[in-house]
């Protein structure tokens, strides 16, 4: 089973990020760009700064962070910070939305092998 949720460090701790279908639609509308093109632009380094910011913000909201807390995290830890760590985070959020992330399979965690 796969998920689109990831957990990464941002500023003061570990946070979950998830570009759910709802957040993808909102992100596309806000940025006036499709998710495929956004993913390609961010991955290739041909992005607008706002695309990084909004990808991270929508990822936080999609994982359950309140709109207010997401805005505060962006204001404190993303706005005005170096681009490389924000870019890396945005790439990882988009990659999880695109490819999914493997989740531990509860049925295979306790396999008993007999020889």
């Amino acid at each position: 089973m796969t998920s689109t949720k990831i957990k990464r460090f941002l500023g003061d701790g570990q946070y979950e990020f998830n570009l759910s279908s709802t957040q993808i639609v909102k992100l596309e509308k806000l940025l006036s760009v499709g998710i495929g093109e956004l993913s390609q632009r961010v991955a290739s380094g041909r992005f607008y700064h706002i695309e990084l910011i909004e990808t991270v913000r929508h990822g936080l909201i999609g994982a359950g962070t309140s709109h207010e807390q997401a805005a505060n995290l962006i204001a404190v830890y993303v706005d005005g910070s170096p681009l490389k760590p924000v870019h890396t985070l945005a790439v990882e959020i988009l990659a999880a939305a695109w490819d999914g992330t493997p989740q531990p399979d509860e049925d295979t965690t306790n396999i008993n092998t007999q020889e």
Side-chain angles (χ1 to χ4, degrees):
M1 177 161 222
T2 59
S3 171
T4 56
K5 188 180 286 188
I6 60 172
K7 191 171 191 175
R8 297 292 185 272
F9 185 82
L10 177 65
D12 63 353
Q14 295 282 326
Y15 291 90
E16 290 187 339
F17 300 86
N18 184 25
L19 280 182
S20 63
S21 296
T22 302
Q23 290 307 313
I24 289 172
V25 170
K26 290 178 180 182
L27 187 59
E28 289 176 330
K29 186 174 180 177
L30 176 71
L31 298 174
S32 299
V33 65
I35 192 67
E37 184 175 339
L38 175 64
S39 296
Q40 288 181 345
R41 289 191 343 203
V42 171
S44 70
R46 295 181 177 177
F47 56 83
Y48 290 93
H49 185 244
I50 191 69
E51 293 172 336
L52 298 182
I53 291 171
E54 291 301 329
T55 297
V56 173
R57 188 174 74 83
H58 280 77
L60 285 163
I61 293 167
T65 302
S66 72
H67 289 266
E68 183 179 7
Q69 185 182 12
N72 288 338
L73 288 167
I74 295 297
V76 173
Y77 299 116
V78 176
D79 285 345
S81 67
L83 290 178
K84 187 174 184 177
V86 178
H87 176 252
T88 299
L89 178 57
V91 167
E92 291 176 350
I93 293 167
L94 289 164
W98 193 265
D99 296 324
T101 57
Q103 300 299 304
D105 186 357
E106 293 180 18
D107 294 334
T108 61
T109 54
N110 294 321
I111 295 176
N112 293 323
T113 58
Q114 296 179 351
E115 296 181 30

